[in-house]
Amino acid sequence: MGTWFAGILVAAAAALAVRSMIRDKKKGGSLSCGGDCSRCRGHCG
């Protein structure tokens, strides 16, 4: 019973993460770069 509950929680968290990434992509963002050059670690140029 506990295994099922934990699995459902993990699946829900993964679904929310994917949903967030899809929303960001539709807004013109990138999955690898947030477009904030002040937080860039050098790959933005």
Side-chain angles (χ1 to χ4, degrees):
M1 179 78 173
T3 304
W4 283 95
F5 185 68
I8 290 171
L9 286 177
V10 170
L16 288 174
V18 168
R19 180 178 167 200
S20 174
M21 289 190 302
I22 290 171
R23 282 185 176 178
D24 289 345
K25 188 67 175 173
K26 283 184 179 180
K27 287 181 184 177
S30 171
L31 297 179
S32 62
C33 182
D36 184 4
C37 291
S38 67
R39 293 185 180 183
C40 184
R41 293 199 167 98
H43 65 276
C44 292

